[in-house]
Amino acid sequence: MNSLEDIVLLTLKKHTNKTGNLISIDYEKDLNSNIKRSFIVTSSKNIIRGRHAHKKLNQFLVCLNGKCEVTCKDGTKEKVFRLNDSNEVLFVPNQIWAEQKYLSNQSILLVLCDDVYLENDYIRDYRSFQEYRSKLL
């Protein structure tokens, strides 16, 4: 069973010159994952999204623009991460509850997933999440 200690904040190499920045992601090398799906979330300041956990799917979160605060919970403890640089990648493993609070207008969050969308993989109620976790112990 995953815990808060399994959440990892990775820093990707940023290549900068007078024309701008380039940040590449080699999914297998940098993320040790086979990405099967991605999506982009845009939001405004003080909006909270996410509020769910996955049973099997793992996610990687990248804030492409603005600032985003990610609160992760394991059913008893919580840990907060702030994403504000496009070369930071937050790995959120399965069985961890995650909420994203957008801290600036026009925030853009890129989410990379290691599986396709499956509604039955989602746990969308926090009490149900706590019950799910307690059954895994």
Side-chain angles (χ1 to χ4, degrees):
M1 178 169 49
N2 285 313
S3 70
L4 295 181
E5 288 74 37
D6 296 307
I7 301 168
V8 179
L9 183 61
L10 306 165
T11 303
L12 301 171
K13 187 169 184 176
K14 184 187 293 187
H15 303 277
T16 303
N17 65 27
K18 62 184 177 185
T19 63
N21 298 318
L22 182 140
I23 301 166
S24 65
I25 304 174
D26 180 321
Y27 297 142
E28 289 183 17
K29 180 182 169 194
D30 297 330
L31 305 181
N32 193 29
S33 183
N34 182 16
I35 300 301
K36 294 184 180 176
R37 178 174 172 256
S38 63
F39 57 93
I40 295 172
V41 179
T42 59
S43 195
S44 300
K45 187 175 184 178
N46 293 323
I47 299 296
I48 298 175
R49 295 187 49 107
R51 293 184 174 149
H52 65 267
H54 291 278
K55 296 173 187 172
K56 296 183 180 179
L57 181 137
N58 298 296
Q59 294 184 319
F60 299 87
L61 309 178
V62 182
C63 189
L64 299 176
N65 189 61
K67 297 176 185 174
C68 185
E69 183 177 86
V70 182
T71 301
C72 298
K73 301 177 182 180
D74 66 4
T76 56
K77 299 179 291 183
E78 72 177 52
K79 194 169 183 181
V80 178
F81 299 87
R82 184 172 281 211
L83 300 176
N84 57 12
D85 198 331
S86 56
N87 71 322
E88 296 175 331
V89 180
L90 183 65
F91 170 64
V92 181
N94 57 46
Q95 303 167 10
I96 297 293
W97 184 268
E99 300 177 0
Q100 299 86 42
K101 181 176 183 180
Y102 295 83
L103 301 176
S104 57
N105 287 323
Q106 300 178 344
S107 292
I108 301 172
L109 186 70
L110 169 65
V111 182
L112 307 168
C113 307
D114 68 356
D115 205 352
V116 298
Y117 174 84
L118 298 169
E119 179 58 36
N120 64 358
D121 186 60
Y122 283 75
I123 306 170
R124 297 187 184 272
D125 174 75
Y126 190 70
R127 287 187 190 201
S128 298
F129 168 71
Q130 289 175 308
E131 290 171 11
Y132 177 82
R133 292 275 304 189
S134 68
K135 291 176 184 176
L136 295 176
L137 296 174

